[in-house]
Amino acid sequence: MSKHGRTGLCLLVLMLSACAPVGIAGRELTFPGNRSTRIEGQIIEARCYLTTSSVAADHTYCAFRSARGNLPLGLLTDDGHLLFLTEAPSRLADLVTQRVRVRGLATANKQLLQPQVIEVLRNGSWAKVAL
Amino acid sequence: MIRARRIAAAQLSLVAALSAYLLQAGPARANLPAAPDLAPQTEEGDLWAAECVATFGSDRRCTERALSAGKPGGILQAGRFVLLLLDGRILAQSCSGPPPARVRASGVLHQGSRAMTVFSLSALCEGNWQVVDLPFSGIQGNGTESGNE
């Protein structure tokens, strides 16, 4: 192989090795800095909340049925921010409209929350929920 | 004489500009929907389970597993993730091919395109766009209530 050929091959290898991490990181760059966090708020059924702002009271039964039907749930914080829970909604149906404390992995843009531990406030004390 | 010509030319260009604006603005105004915030919009991209986005699930089967378990999914496109407000099991059936499936959803976007109430859904399966049946997308999910209790 000529000197130019070897140089070209080296350049190609360098380019490919430089591009590979970018390709993998490209996915991570979408949501950089996902981190473990603990957030307190109220579990809501996302679609009704987003279309009607319904949270509890008359909406509780509807939210429960919707969660059983696997419509996505969210955690509404006291400052009005909504994070979507990535867990299967039907598994959390009993918690709709309840006040909870969630420890888990949140995307940096605070759009998604992957729950690891959920505690629900019942009779003034926090009770751990089995996931 | 020259001044009068300049004034006439200026008036003519003004009229031309105004006519062009009116011709352009008229139909545009007429086409505005009554409720712009409810105008359906379309999102297209790769189907991902929300869980796999949150945990960087690089496993090809991550999305398939999560959606089949009823976990929420959405469209990942150009650094944005739009959560689809549907039963994940409906999304799991969107395409028989290997994930990530290419999907196109039409509906109402919420919270700066962070979530979408879906009116219609199509998936790119073997090069063809196929409409995904949304059995019942009413307030109470698909009505089956067959979760993973």
Side-chain angles (χ1 to χ4, degrees):
Chain A
M1 188 182 289
S2 70
K3 189 180 175 184
H4 288 299
R6 279 200 303 271
T7 309
L9 189 65
C10 286
L11 275 172
L12 184 67
V13 168
L14 271 173
M15 281 168 68
L16 286 174
S17 60
C19 286
V22 171
I24 296 164
R27 184 175 293 160
E28 296 184 4
L29 282 172
T30 308
F31 299 102
N34 288 7
R35 60 184 178 274
S36 192
T37 185
R38 194 171 82 166
I39 302 174
E40 191 175 322
Q42 188 176 17
I43 301 263
I44 55 95
E45 186 269 297
R47 190 164 65 176
C48 275
Y49 172 74
L50 290 170
T51 52
T52 68
S53 301
S54 301
V55 173
D58 290 348
H59 177 61
T60 304
Y61 180 66
C62 176
F64 172 74
R65 291 283 305 269
S66 299
R68 288 285 297 267
N70 270 324
L71 285 186
L73 299 178
L75 182 66
L76 185 64
T77 63
D78 291 339
D79 59 2
H81 187 81
L82 177 64
L83 293 99
F84 298 101
L85 298 172
T86 63
E87 187 52 75
S90 59
R91 299 186 67 183
L92 305 176
D94 290 343
L95 300 176
V96 286
T97 74
Q98 303 275 315
R99 186 149 190 91
V100 297
R101 205 155 65 174
V102 179
R103 187 157 59 80
L105 196 64
T107 51
N109 63 358
K110 292 193 173 174
Q111 180 187 18
L112 306 172
L113 179 60
Q114 166 75 26
Q116 287 161 344
V117 177
I118 299 181
E119 293 169 294
V120 60
L121 187 61
R122 282 187 182 134
N123 303 320
S125 60
W126 293 100
K128 198 171 171 181
V129 175
L131 286 177
Chain B
M1 185 68 179
I2 294 170
R3 193 180 171 191
R5 278 185 186 167
R6 279 183 185 163
I7 291 171
Q11 282 175 337
L12 198 65
S13 65
L14 207 78
V15 168
L18 188 63
S19 303
Y21 168 76
L22 288 173
L23 283 170
Q24 195 175 36
R29 273 201 301 264
N31 286 337
L32 276 177
D37 56 334
L38 290 178
Q41 288 175 287
T42 301
E43 291 284 336
E44 185 181 322
D46 292 332
L47 177 65
W48 275 66
E51 180 181 77
C52 305
V53 174
T55 59
F56 298 138
S58 54
D59 178 0
R60 279 170 62 85
R61 297 289 167 196
C62 179
T63 288
E64 199 174 57
R65 273 198 307 266
L67 295 180
S68 299
K71 295 179 181 182
I75 294 174
L76 187 63
Q77 172 68 7
R80 276 190 316 121
F81 181 71
V82 181
L83 186 88
L84 300 178
L85 300 175
L86 285 175
D87 184 340
R89 291 170 299 180
I90 294 171
L91 298 171
Q93 295 161 7
S94 63
C95 191
S96 56
R102 188 87 182 160
V103 292
R104 186 188 286 159
S106 177
V108 176
L109 290 166
H110 307 283
Q111 292 209 322
S113 303
R114 289 156 70 98
M116 177 188 264
T117 298
V118 182
F119 294 164
S120 66
L121 183 71
S122 304
L124 188 62
C125 301
E126 295 169 2
N128 298 314
W129 285 100
Q130 291 177 8
V131 175
V132 177
D133 186 30
L134 304 179
F136 172 59
S137 58
I139 295 299
Q140 293 158 6
N142 66 4
T144 61
E145 294 191 20
S146 55
N148 300 306
E149 296 90 343

